[in-house]
Amino acid sequence: MSAPQLVVHRDKELMAQAAAARLITKIVDAQAARGSASVVLTGGRNGNALLAALGASSARDAIDWPRLDLWWGDERFLPEGDPERNVTQAREALLDSVPVDPARVHAMPASNGPYGSDADAAAAAYAAELAAAAGPEDHGPVPTFDVLMLGVGPDTHVASLFPELPGVRESSRTVVGVHGAPKPPPTRISLTLPAIRAAREVWLLAAGEDKAKAVTIALSGAGEVQAPAAGAHGRSRTLWLLDAAAASGLPRGLYPPASP
């Protein structure tokens, strides 16, 4: 378990641009070291802002896009192409404008896909896809992701793991169907905390005053069942990328004065 590190940016726009630059560097370094890279994307306003900033960066061409595997931390269980699906938004923000290999874009199943309305079967299929991509060096049922990104909700949820719901208590499965989510749509698919913790680095993104309470709770020793964000950490690094508004409830000593 890695102790959380904090970087606080002046505003959400700078945060998105800096996070995109950080992600480009991490992907390029991973490809140089191992030949390919593996990243887990997040949706929501901060995840999509990061992707848009990456697409607008001249440095994006440093990435060898065909040698990049893209996964998702969660998905709204809606029909393929629905504008609310994370993969739909990611395609619009970035993926349609870069030469990714379609076979390496691992979207979670849609509600009109081969599993129909059975979110649990769709989750099991995604878990099987992850397991098939894992090698002996990963020592587990999911690949060792280079970077796994998570948005932090105002209620401290990450992916689609909500406080007190069964998904956040899951200790063996890597992907679960989520039913009765407190924000629409109620049916979702999500990585579990064991799968999240397989990543080398976990980045938690939060911007805006509406996230300040959640950030403070998660970084103040709360339990993961009550505050799922508190249970999200990487093997080698756990990085909280915040804007000043989201960090406004934290003691100043928690992050360095030099944070941009």
Side-chain angles (χ1 to χ4, degrees):
M1 177 178 176
S2 55
Q5 299 174 319
L6 280 68
V7 178
V8 181
H9 297 285
R10 182 181 63 244
D11 53 44
K12 63 183 181 182
E13 291 81 14
L14 181 59
M15 177 185 127
Q17 293 165 7
R22 188 183 294 271
L23 182 60
I24 291 169
T25 299
K26 187 59 60 176
I27 292 171
V28 170
D29 287 349
Q31 289 178 333
R34 290 180 292 278
S36 64
S38 178
V39 172
V40 179
L41 301 180
T42 184
R45 69 186 189 217
N46 293 316
N48 290 326
L50 185 158
L51 294 181
L54 196 162
S57 170
S58 59
R60 77 179 197 181
D61 293 334
I63 295 173
D64 188 343
W65 291 100
R67 293 194 296 138
L68 175 65
D69 280 286
L70 295 174
W71 303 86
W72 271 264
D74 74 321
E75 186 57 276
R76 299 166 173 92
F77 198 52
L78 296 167
E80 183 68 33
D82 190 289
E84 292 301 309
R85 275 175 60 83
N86 289 333
V87 65
T88 306
Q89 296 172 5
R91 291 187 192 283
E92 293 174 354
L94 174 67
L95 302 187
D96 285 347
S97 62
V98 293
V100 290
D101 178 354
R104 299 181 79 161
V105 177
H106 306 275
M108 288 183 166
S111 63
N112 61 345
Y115 312 99
S117 60
D118 190 340
D120 296 317
Y126 203 67
E129 187 175 355
L130 284 164
E137 70 279 3
D138 295 310
H139 305 292
V142 298
T144 304
F145 311 113
D146 291 295
V147 177
L148 184 148
M149 295 182 289
L150 298 166
V152 180
D155 60 353
T156 73
H157 83 265
V158 289
S160 284
L161 303 176
F162 294 90
E164 305 286 354
L165 289 191
V168 76
R169 303 175 187 269
E170 181 62 46
S171 60
S172 56
R173 290 180 292 172
T174 58
V175 190
V176 292
V178 177
H179 306 276
K183 62 179 291 188
T187 306
R188 297 158 173 259
I189 301 172
S190 182
L191 297 189
T192 61
L193 288 176
I196 288 169
R197 292 168 183 158
R200 289 184 176 87
E201 297 196 9
V202 169
W203 298 1
L204 297 106
L205 315 175
E209 291 182 8
D210 61 323
K211 304 294 181 70
K213 183 177 180 181
V215 169
T216 302
I217 291 171
L219 287 169
S220 298
E224 63 192 36
V225 173
Q226 296 76 30
H233 50 78
R235 290 183 179 182
S236 62
R237 194 180 198 194
T238 305
L239 186 62
W240 285 72
L241 300 174
L242 310 171
D243 74 347
S248 60
L250 295 172
R252 195 68 175 95
L254 272 184
Y255 56 91
S259 289

